[in-house]
């Protein structure tokens, strides 16, 4: 501490605490600086040390530990940050959903392969070949229930493996699925695109391009890579799966599957024993990210390990001295002379209290973790399951396969409105919500309303040469 004309012996407990510096000093500017510094640090990153009690000495001075009084949170600032955070990530989800639907619509419009019904999935044994509508209805319902049972069984199997921590099995499963999509279905897509646009290409070049495309996709999805590249691959995979469903599902079964899968999504996420809810809660309990191959994130999905500090080292957050410069080092605000006297075994020097505030240094203790434990930090962001991308694109792609752009645009707008409402509920309720029910319900309503009412009305106006 600094020398002054009037020296007062410290005969009472004294503490150096950054939370009360603004109260001890009438300098308003210093108080504002300290307040700004405290706002920039989140509460979960703070763990302040304190000065150890020293007994004895000729003056009987002691420095006692006092608890730090937590500051009350500023609610308006938190709400403002949440609104900004939510609005930014709403836009970050609108863009990939739109791109995925545009890829499917463009493919359906330009490549006839995905509009021809010649082969069906093994899970849809009823092919709706009867001319009667009632037969087609129960065929579609039967196919959709069979497909739903398969999806539910696979989901429960995934949850069981995750609960048992069979991570290698899950990763192998996901890697095999990604291999099939990135190589086999990508080959079929590229081949049909080359045929549709009449572009010649030899098999050697095709194999070289496909190999590089597939290997790069496996790296960025299951390991790490540029965020934009990972997002692009996930969007392409979702579009491929949507095209597969449009191609290999019977006509009426597609609409029945969309309705049934929305109800299943509602049950799986919101019910207490729903499998998707169990998956999310288990991942939160273990503080683990859900597998990147299943989730589209608006921020980085993989975790980066930061370099750990040296053993015994602790970070310091330094305040500012009276002259505006940074306060020097030292232990809990004591200078080098005091440390030398302590190391030599001398009695502690008497403490004097100045009228001016002392220079201070706040110790920042490391969190409850071993010295060499990696600091895993996953950036926050809104996450949307790839299944949501797939079924959004199935609805819009199926609507575009009939060649009516009014219906296609109506379904597109309906899905975006439903997604916006879902994200609004997410910001209000602050828990995992199903993304399919609202969007798919709006999409189905807009599709059948536009197909049954708007399209005949527009055709009648065009036939009568009436323009609105």
């Amino acid at each position: 501490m600094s020398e002054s004309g009037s020296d007062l012996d410290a005969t009472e407990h004294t503490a150096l605490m950054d939370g009360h510096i603004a109260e001890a000093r009438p300098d308003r500017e210093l108080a504002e600086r300290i307040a700004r510094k405290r706002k920039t640090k989140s509460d979960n990153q703070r763990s302040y040390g304190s000065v150890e009690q020293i007994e004895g000495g000729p003056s009987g001075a002691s420095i006692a530990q006092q608890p730090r009084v937590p500051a009350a949170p500023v609610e308006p600032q938190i709400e403002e940050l949440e609104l900004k955070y939510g609005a930014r990530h709403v836009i970050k989800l609108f863009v990939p959903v739109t791109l995925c639907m545009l890829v499917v619509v463009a493919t359906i419009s330009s490549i006839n392969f995905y509009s021809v019904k010649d082969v069906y999935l093994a899970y849809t044994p009823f092919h709706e070949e009867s001319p009667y509508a009632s037969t087609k209805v129960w065929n579609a319902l039967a196919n959709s229930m069979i497909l739903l049972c398969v999806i539910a069984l696979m989901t429960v199997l995934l949850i069981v493996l995750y609960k048992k921590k069979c991570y290698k099995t899950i990763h192998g499963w996901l890697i095999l699925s990604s291999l099939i999509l990135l190589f086999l279905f990508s080959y079929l897509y590229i081949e049909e695109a080359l045929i549709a646009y009449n572009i010649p290409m030899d098999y050697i070049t095709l194999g070289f391009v496909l190999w590089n495309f597939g290997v790069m996709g496996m790296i960025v999805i299951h390991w790490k890579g540029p965020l934009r590249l990972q997002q692009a691959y996930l969007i392409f995979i979702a579009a491929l799966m949507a095209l597969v469903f449009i191609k290999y599902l019977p006509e009426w079964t597609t609409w029945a599957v969309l309705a049934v899968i929305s109800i299943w999504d509602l049950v799986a996420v919101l019910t207490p024993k729903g499998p998707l809810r169990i998956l999310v809660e288990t991942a939160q309990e273990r503080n683990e990210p859900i597998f990147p191959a299943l989730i589209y994130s608006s921020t980085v999905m993989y975790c980066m390990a930061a370099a750990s500090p040296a053993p015994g080292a602790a970070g310091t957050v330094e305040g500012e001295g009276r002259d505006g410069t940074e306060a020097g080092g030292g232990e809990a605000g004591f200078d080098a002379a005091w440390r030398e006297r302590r190391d030599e075994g001398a009695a502690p020097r008497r403490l004097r209290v100045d009228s001016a505030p002392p220079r201070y240094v706040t110790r920042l203790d490391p969190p409850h973790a071993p010295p060499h434990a990696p600091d895993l930090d996953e950036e926050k962001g809104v996450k949307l399951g790839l299944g949501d991308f797939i079924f959004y694109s199935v609805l819009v792609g199926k609507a575009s396969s009939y060649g009516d752009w009014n219906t296609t645009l109506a379904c597109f707008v309906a899905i975006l409105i439903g997604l916006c409402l879902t994200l609004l509920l997410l910001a209000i309720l602050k828990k995992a919500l199903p993304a399919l029910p609202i969007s798919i319900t709006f999409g189905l309503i807009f599709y059948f309303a536009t197909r049954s009412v708007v399209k005949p009305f527009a055709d009648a106006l065009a036939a009568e040469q009436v323009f609105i």
Side-chain angles (χ1 to χ4, degrees):
M1 295 185 182
S2 61
E3 298 290 340
S4 63
S6 60
D7 293 343
L8 301 175
D9 291 339
T11 59
E12 59 182 1
H13 296 297
T14 306
L16 299 177
M17 298 179 60
D18 69 317
H20 302 289
I21 293 297
E23 299 176 2
R25 178 179 180 178
D27 191 347
R28 184 175 180 181
E29 184 178 349
L30 177 59
E32 291 178 354
R33 278 201 300 267
I34 295 173
R36 286 197 300 269
K37 284 180 175 296
R38 292 182 62 186
K39 287 181 181 179
T40 58
K41 302 293 186 297
S42 60
D43 290 338
N44 59 356
Q45 291 179 343
R46 289 178 170 180
S47 179
Y48 293 103
S50 59
V51 184
E52 295 180 356
Q53 185 175 1
I54 302 177
E55 300 290 347
S59 64
S62 64
I63 301 177
Q65 179 178 358
Q66 293 185 4
R68 174 179 173 269
V69 180
V74 184
E75 294 296 335
Q77 293 181 356
I78 295 176
E79 292 178 359
E80 183 180 358
L81 289 176
E82 287 180 352
L83 288 176
K84 290 181 180 179
Y85 171 82
R88 183 172 70 252
H89 287 285
V90 165
I91 302 301
K92 286 186 177 182
L93 279 186
F94 269 31
V95 173
V97 168
T98 302
L99 288 176
C100 187
M101 292 189 290
L102 286 178
V103 170
V104 173
V105 170
T107 303
I108 293 293
S109 303
S110 58
I111 301 177
N112 295 328
F113 172 77
Y114 292 100
S115 301
V116 178
K117 300 290 183 181
D118 50 0
V119 181
Y120 299 99
L121 292 177
Y123 311 120
T124 56
F126 305 104
H127 300 161
E128 303 175 5
E129 297 175 351
S130 173
Y132 302 104
S134 59
T135 305
K136 290 183 178 180
V137 168
W138 77 259
N139 284 348
L141 291 177
N143 288 334
S144 62
M145 294 307 297
I146 294 173
L147 192 59
L148 177 61
C149 291
V150 173
I151 293 175
L153 181 62
M154 294 295 103
T155 306
V156 172
L157 178 60
L158 176 64
I159 301 305
V160 171
L161 292 176
Y162 189 72
K163 294 286 284 186
K164 300 295 183 181
K165 297 185 178 181
C166 301
Y167 297 131
K168 293 183 179 180
T169 305
I170 297 176
H171 281 296
W173 182 3
L174 297 177
I175 288 173
L176 180 61
S177 302
S178 301
L179 283 173
I180 296 174
L181 284 169
L182 291 174
F183 287 95
L184 178 59
F185 287 105
S186 296
Y187 167 75
L188 295 176
Y189 182 84
I190 295 174
E191 183 182 23
E192 294 299 329
L194 294 175
I195 294 174
Y197 291 101
N198 198 21
I199 300 176
M201 181 178 291
D202 59 277
Y203 281 102
I204 297 176
T205 304
L206 179 61
F208 178 78
V209 170
L210 192 63
W211 171 260
N212 284 274
F213 175 79
V215 171
M216 181 61 67
M218 296 297 295
I219 291 174
V220 299
I221 292 175
H222 295 282
W223 191 38
K224 60 183 179 180
L227 174 63
R228 299 301 180 193
L229 190 60
Q230 183 194 52
Q231 292 174 339
Y233 269 100
L234 292 176
I235 291 171
F236 181 73
I237 284 179
L240 274 183
M241 282 302 303
L243 291 171
V244 168
F245 279 123
I246 295 173
K247 165 71 176 176
Y248 297 110
L249 284 180
E251 195 77 18
W252 291 32
T253 301
T254 305
W255 302 109
V257 165
L258 288 173
V260 169
I261 207 69
S262 300
I263 299 174
W264 161 253
D265 197 25
L266 200 64
V267 173
V269 175
L270 296 183
T271 56
K273 297 298 182 180
L276 295 182
R277 180 171 181 174
I278 294 175
L279 175 63
V280 173
E281 290 179 350
T282 306
Q284 291 175 351
E285 290 174 0
R286 298 177 182 177
N287 197 20
E288 297 174 347
I290 302 177
F291 303 100
L294 299 175
I295 299 290
Y296 177 93
S297 176
S298 59
T299 53
V300 180
M301 280 295 298
Y302 50 84
C303 297
M304 301 296 293
S308 58
T316 59
V317 180
E318 297 185 352
E320 294 182 355
R322 186 177 180 182
D323 56 353
T325 59
E326 288 187 350
E331 296 183 4
F334 296 100
D335 55 7
W338 184 89
R339 293 200 309 273
E340 291 177 359
R341 291 171 61 87
R342 182 198 64 183
D343 295 338
E344 293 174 359
R349 190 173 55 184
R350 293 192 309 170
L351 298 177
R352 290 180 295 273
V353 179
D354 293 332
S355 59
R359 297 162 67 183
Y360 67 97
V361 173
T362 303
R363 303 291 295 180
L364 180 63
D365 297 329
H368 301 287
H372 290 286
D375 183 16
L376 300 179
D377 182 21
E378 183 186 1
E379 296 186 12
K380 292 182 179 179
V382 179
K383 298 175 177 60
L384 188 66
L386 284 189
D388 303 321
F389 281 83
I390 293 170
F391 289 107
Y392 292 162
S393 302
V394 166
L395 194 150
V396 177
K398 191 63 179 176
S400 68
S401 65
Y402 299 111
D404 183 19
W405 287 103
N406 291 329
T407 307
T408 304
L409 290 176
C411 293
F412 174 79
V413 172
I415 286 176
L416 291 185
I417 292 174
L419 181 59
C420 186
L421 291 177
T422 303
L423 294 175
L424 180 62
L425 291 176
L426 179 66
I428 294 173
L429 300 178
K430 293 181 177 62
K431 67 176 183 179
L433 294 175
L436 284 180
I438 299 178
S439 295
I440 296 299
T441 301
F442 279 11
L444 292 176
I445 292 174
F446 276 52
Y447 170 77
F448 288 106
T450 306
R451 189 75 185 272
S452 304
V453 178
V454 178
K455 186 179 184 300
F457 179 69
D459 292 343
L461 291 178
E464 298 295 335
Q465 298 291 313
V466 178
F467 300 97
I468 299 178

